[in-house]
Amino acid sequence: MAFVVLLIAFPVGWTLYLSFTDASGSVRAPSEFIGFENYFDVLTDTERFWPAVGRTVFFTGGALIVEMALGMAIALLLWRPFRGEKWVRIAILLPLVATPVAVGMMWRLIFEPNIGFANQALKWLGLPAQPWLSGQNTALPTLIFVDIWQWTPMVVLILLAGLTALSDEPDEAARVDGASAWQRFWYVTFPLIMPTFITAILLRGIDALKTFDILYATKGKGGGSFHEVETLNVYAYGLSFDYNKYGESSTVLILFFLMIIGCIWLLTARKKKGSN
């Protein structure tokens, strides 16, 4: 436990220290303590920081809502035994096998405006081609789709494990009483699986909040020419490794860390309330 605490406490503590300095240029360059100046500069930055916050929330919320709904639907379909279920489960889990960078590069080729398969399919259907990843308004929704494609299987696994652990008696009793399939799900199954559902939201939500590899692999530095997919992770990375502004970058990371801690606290409190 002491090792784990040290492993977490040291990088967080060092990042916190850097956020109060003007560290820049080089990690070995001398720096001065400037107090909360970096925090003031970042929190008043309406050009890059707050738009990045908005994109982070939009990306996380959009991906999480669809992944939870789709994951629950697929888990319910796989809950009962059926012929060929083993192969269906393997097929659903295949997106988890590839690394996020490989997935990003694959979908970058698929969504290529001129020769990509996505626009070729639209042409076959008589529909106009779309900019997909190259458009300012379509890049982030397209990457949300890519995230949904890769990480919905993770939600399916968690929810399916929760469904499998449930007793059949409540559902059978509701069925005998004449409840419909929707009523049995909404009033019986869903309340029983609520702790597992919140756990899935917690795990997937945190993971979606800190998504970086897919965004960087598809759009590169700054989240694109117009920062169209620049989330807080991409923004902090650019400050550190493109501009060498370590103090300002550390400030962004500390604020982001506090946001994640707040989300964890809210979801954990909701889970405890649901369990009671």
Side-chain angles (χ1 to χ4, degrees):
M1 289 180 65
F3 173 75
V4 172
V5 170
L6 181 63
L7 194 67
I8 297 174
F10 176 75
V12 173
W14 181 251
T15 304
L16 181 62
Y17 164 75
L18 287 177
S19 69
F20 291 108
T21 69
D22 61 351
S24 61
S26 171
V27 291
R28 296 187 177 184
S31 58
E32 296 182 1
F33 183 83
I34 58 174
F36 289 93
E37 184 176 333
N38 283 330
Y39 288 89
F40 177 79
D41 292 339
V42 169
L43 291 174
T44 55
D45 179 11
T46 58
E47 183 179 351
R48 296 285 294 275
F49 176 74
W50 286 111
V53 172
R55 295 186 199 100
T56 304
V57 173
F58 179 74
F59 179 88
T60 303
L64 190 60
I65 290 172
V66 178
E67 287 169 8
M68 295 307 301
L70 193 58
M72 176 60 79
I74 296 174
L76 289 172
L77 290 174
L78 298 178
W79 185 16
R80 304 303 182 187
F82 60 92
R83 181 176 296 180
E85 64 173 318
K86 176 182 177 181
W87 300 107
V88 173
R89 292 187 181 189
I90 292 175
I92 290 175
L93 296 179
L94 282 178
L96 289 178
V97 177
T99 62
V101 172
V103 170
M105 297 305 297
M106 177 189 72
W107 283 102
R108 183 178 179 179
L109 293 174
I110 293 175
F111 287 124
E112 206 282 328
N114 298 315
I115 61 173
F117 176 78
N119 277 341
Q120 293 298 324
L122 290 180
K123 290 179 181 179
W124 294 337
L125 296 174
L127 299 174
Q130 299 297 322
W132 301 116
L133 290 171
S134 59
Q136 294 187 47
N137 298 323
T138 58
L140 195 58
T142 301
L143 288 173
I144 291 176
F145 167 80
V146 174
D147 189 84
I148 292 169
W149 178 85
Q150 184 175 23
W151 294 109
T152 297
M154 173 185 171
V155 178
V156 174
L157 279 177
I158 298 173
L159 296 181
L160 187 59
L163 289 171
T164 305
L166 295 180
S167 173
D168 293 334
E169 294 180 359
D171 186 74
E172 292 176 356
R175 188 190 302 269
V176 171
D177 291 337
S180 64
W182 170 254
Q183 289 173 330
R184 295 199 307 273
F185 166 73
W186 187 250
Y187 294 107
V188 179
T189 304
F190 190 66
L192 290 174
I193 204 177
M194 180 59 74
T196 305
F197 190 80
I198 295 178
T199 299
I201 293 177
L202 183 64
L203 294 176
R204 186 64 205 110
I206 294 173
D207 202 32
L209 270 173
K210 56 189 184 67
T211 298
F212 171 81
D213 29 28
I214 289 181
L215 303 176
Y216 197 82
T218 54
K219 298 296 293 183
K221 295 181 179 180
S225 302
F226 299 95
H227 312 297
E228 55 266 26
V229 301
E230 186 182 61
T231 61
L232 285 174
N233 290 293
V234 178
Y235 179 48
Y237 180 89
L239 286 174
S240 292
F241 298 103
D242 294 336
Y243 301 105
N244 297 328
K245 297 181 178 180
Y246 303 113
E248 193 172 341
S249 173
S250 298
T251 303
V252 173
L253 291 173
I254 290 297
L255 292 173
F256 192 29
F257 179 73
L258 293 176
M259 288 173 55
I260 295 176
I261 293 297
C263 292
I264 293 175
W265 180 80
L266 289 174
L267 288 172
T268 304
R270 179 67 181 87
K271 182 179 179 181
K272 290 181 179 179
K273 184 178 179 181
S275 300
N276 294 332

